[in-house]
Amino acid sequence: MKKAKANGPAIDSKELIEALEELEKERGIKKDIILESIETALVTAYKRNFESSENVKVTMDGQTGETHVYAEKEVVEIVENPNLQINLADAQKLSKKLAIGDIAEIEIVPKNFGRIAAQTAKQVIVQKIREESRNILFEAFNDRKGEIVSGIVQKADGGVVVLDLGRLEGVMTVREQIPTEKYHVNDKLRAYVVDVERGAKGSPQVLVSRACSDFVRKLFELEIPEIYEGVIELKSVSRDPGSRSKVAVYSPNENIDPVGSCVGQKGIRIQNIINELSGEKIDVIEWNPDPAIYISSALLPAQVMAVDVHEEEKFAQVIVPDDQLSLAIGKAGQNARLAAKLTTWKIDIKSESQFREMMQKAQEEAEKAEQVQEEMENEEVTQETVEEKATKKTTKKSTKKAEESETVEQVQEEKKKTRKTKKEDVEDEVEEKPKKTRAKKTKEESTEEKK
């Protein structure tokens, strides 16, 4: 699709371009960005003021400032909407290269549009200056996230504290304040930049803190050159704001004492950090790859007798002398809690007597368990004996019953046999009687014949 322009007299905006160039030098706001915004705003202004439904395009020359307003129309054979279309004959009067389907850009010079354009440009420029200034500030402070900034207290009424950081304000919520500190207007404070956010109107808002552990970490980097240079590594920090902090340091160089370097001669280095934190106590310990040694150091100033570590569970059982138990735990469990947070291990602290009682109790429970086990085994043996006796008794009864059953069966068989024998005898007698009678008669008859 081709486009062709029919240029007419331009709106002079040379002074505007000069102002934009000066603005770019002073505030770093790019001229091209503002020109694009002005072009878009002029299109809207034209349609609003002249109640136009045309496709309007505004162009501004970045060098000369000449401004042109065009009505974009599609080249067609038959015009249905004159605001959006133009026939081929009229289009070719503008440019012979135009064909059906191309876009013709017709110059428009509306009356008084120069005044409207100037007002619109001014509004856009003011708005863009604000937006770009906010963006520049946002980017600048976003790059400072994780750093320490200095500011003067503007507002401190017991709630949120507002710091004047120069071009921006820093907001410190109650949670990010040190509980033991009292803030007053015009006090100069240092704080840690936690985050940079955009406010309701797009203005950047800096969230600062004096209570986070990273504030202590950054103070160590500022006050101790060896940490900043990387000669000493700051491994971990745990903190109870306003009360106590524990810091673990380490140096791969055996000739460097990491703890001594942090404390400084006569404690001057660490004292500067303590003063910044309003007297907060700081324990500096040496990090060790052996968890047992590391945990023992973390519980300082308490002395540790033994540490039993369970690697898989990250759990450590610590034994201390009886007179060191309260010191190891600390007031309200503070020392133990900070040590656990510093080492990231779960720590259970027992005194020597508690440990002995625990071991004795465990031994008694083990002995009791063995005794119960033996009793259960004896009961099992007894039960087996009872079951064996019961089985034998049952077997005997079964055998006796079987024998009795067999005896009864034999008696019954004998009775059956006896009854059968008697029956046979009776039958024989019945059969023999006629024979005897017949024999007797025959004998008698023979005797009579002899006679």
Side-chain angles (χ1 to χ4, degrees):
M1 183 182 293
K2 294 180 181 179
K3 290 186 179 182
K5 296 180 180 178
N7 291 329
I11 300 172
D12 187 9
S13 304
K14 188 175 181 180
E15 292 181 0
L16 175 63
I17 297 300
E18 291 175 357
L20 294 180
E21 288 175 352
E22 191 68 25
L23 191 63
E24 186 174 14
K25 290 177 183 178
E26 290 182 359
R27 301 204 180 187
I29 302 172
K30 292 183 178 180
K31 180 178 67 175
D32 295 339
I33 296 175
I34 298 180
L35 284 176
E36 288 178 8
S37 300
I38 292 174
E39 289 174 357
T40 305
L42 288 176
V43 171
T44 305
Y46 176 85
K47 289 185 176 182
R48 183 178 64 247
N49 285 276
F50 297 97
E51 298 180 355
S52 172
S53 60
E54 296 175 312
N55 289 332
V56 179
K57 178 181 178 181
V58 177
T59 61
M60 294 187 71
D61 190 288
Q63 301 299 323
T64 63
E66 290 184 356
T67 305
H68 297 273
V69 183
Y70 299 100
E72 294 185 328
K73 296 185 178 183
E74 184 183 0
V75 180
V76 294
E77 291 182 358
I78 301 173
V79 176
E80 295 178 358
N81 187 344
N83 290 327
L84 302 176
Q85 297 172 337
I86 186 172
N87 61 41
L88 182 60
D90 292 338
Q92 288 186 341
K93 290 178 183 178
L94 301 174
S95 174
K96 293 181 179 181
K97 296 180 180 180
L98 289 172
I100 300 297
D102 292 341
I103 299 296
E105 294 182 349
I106 305 169
E107 179 82 14
I108 302 173
V109 186
K111 189 177 180 181
N112 296 327
F113 187 65
R115 180 179 55 81
I116 296 170
Q119 291 176 348
T120 305
K122 182 180 178 181
Q123 293 172 357
V124 170
I125 290 170
V126 171
Q127 184 180 356
K128 265 297 173 183
I129 287 173
R130 289 175 182 170
E131 289 179 2
E132 289 301 317
S133 298
R134 289 169 182 170
N135 290 337
I136 290 169
L137 284 174
F138 179 84
E139 294 298 330
F141 271 87
N142 198 44
D143 292 338
R144 298 187 67 182
K145 191 185 298 184
E147 294 183 4
I148 290 179
V149 293
S150 297
I152 297 173
V153 177
Q154 281 187 331
K155 177 186 174 184
D157 54 4
V160 174
V161 174
V162 179
L163 298 177
D164 181 7
L165 303 177
R167 297 167 67 185
L168 274 182
E169 290 183 346
V171 178
M172 185 165 57
T173 61
V174 175
R175 184 180 178 183
E176 301 299 337
Q177 300 170 19
I178 296 177
T180 56
E181 289 183 338
K182 299 296 181 184
Y183 306 103
H184 304 91
V185 176
N186 294 327
D187 285 350
K188 189 175 181 179
L189 291 178
R190 288 203 289 179
Y192 178 81
V193 179
V194 178
D195 199 5
V196 181
E197 298 177 347
R198 292 192 181 274
K201 296 182 180 180
S203 58
Q205 192 175 58
V206 183
L207 304 180
V208 297
S209 172
R210 286 180 57 83
C212 65
S213 299
D214 288 327
F215 183 47
V216 175
R217 184 186 293 272
K218 274 294 176 181
L219 288 174
F220 267 81
E221 290 180 5
L222 292 175
E223 295 293 337
I224 300 161
E226 290 86 349
I227 292 179
Y228 181 79
E229 293 169 2
V231 178
I232 295 175
E233 298 177 28
L234 202 158
K235 289 285 188 178
S236 181
V237 178
S238 62
R239 188 183 181 200
D240 192 351
S243 180
R244 195 182 203 95
S245 292
K246 285 183 180 288
V247 179
V249 293
Y250 170 75
S251 176
N253 191 337
E254 296 179 356
N255 299 322
I256 295 176
D257 176 15
V259 176
S261 298
C262 292
V263 174
Q265 190 175 9
K266 296 182 180 180
I268 190 169
R269 286 183 171 180
I270 198 71
Q271 192 60 47
N272 291 336
I273 300 173
I274 291 172
N275 292 339
E276 179 62 40
L277 299 176
S278 303
E280 186 175 312
K281 295 178 182 178
I282 300 176
D283 296 333
V284 182
I285 67 166
E286 185 173 359
W287 179 86
N288 196 292
D290 186 342
I293 298 174
Y294 185 30
I295 291 168
S296 298
S297 301
L299 287 169
L300 288 173
Q303 300 298 318
V304 176
M305 294 178 63
V307 179
D308 182 22
V309 296
H310 302 270
E311 291 279 357
E312 294 181 357
E313 302 172 4
K314 290 204 79 174
F315 172 77
Q317 179 79 60
V318 179
I319 311 302
V320 298
D322 290 354
D323 59 347
Q324 296 285 305
L325 180 61
S326 59
L327 189 61
I329 295 173
K331 186 178 180 180
Q334 184 189 71
N335 194 55
R337 184 174 64 254
L338 290 176
K341 189 176 179 181
L342 185 75
T343 59
T344 67
W345 279 65
K346 294 179 182 178
I347 301 175
D348 182 29
I349 304 173
K350 299 287 184 186
S351 66
E352 186 180 1
S353 58
Q354 286 176 338
F355 180 70
R356 292 185 185 280
E357 289 177 5
M358 186 176 69
M359 293 299 293
Q360 185 177 357
K361 188 176 180 181
Q363 187 175 357
E364 290 175 356
E365 289 178 355
E367 290 175 356
K368 189 175 180 180
E370 288 179 2
Q371 187 177 355
V372 170
Q373 184 67 24
E374 289 178 1
E375 290 176 357
M376 288 177 66
E377 289 176 357
N378 292 335
E379 286 179 2
E380 288 178 1
V381 171
T382 305
Q383 185 68 22
E384 288 176 0
T385 306
V386 170
E387 288 177 357
E388 286 177 1
K389 287 182 178 180
T391 304
K392 288 179 180 178
K393 190 173 181 181
T394 304
T395 305
K396 285 181 180 180
K397 285 182 178 180
S398 300
T399 306
K400 187 175 180 182
K401 191 172 182 181
E403 290 176 353
E404 289 177 354
S405 178
E406 288 178 0
T407 306
V408 170
E409 288 178 358
Q410 289 177 359
V411 170
Q412 288 177 350
E413 287 291 332
E414 288 178 359
K415 285 182 178 181
K416 285 180 181 179
K417 287 180 181 178
T418 305
R419 284 197 297 272
K420 187 176 181 181
T421 304
K422 286 182 179 181
K423 187 176 180 181
E424 289 175 351
D425 291 344
V426 171
E427 289 176 352
D428 291 342
E429 286 179 2
V430 171
E431 289 179 357
E432 285 177 0
K433 275 184 180 182
K435 289 181 181 179
K436 286 180 180 182
T437 304
R438 286 195 299 273
K440 188 177 179 180
K441 285 182 178 181
T442 305
K443 190 176 179 181
E444 288 176 355
E445 288 175 357
S446 298
T447 304
E448 286 179 358
E449 285 178 1
K450 285 180 180 182
K451 288 179 178 184

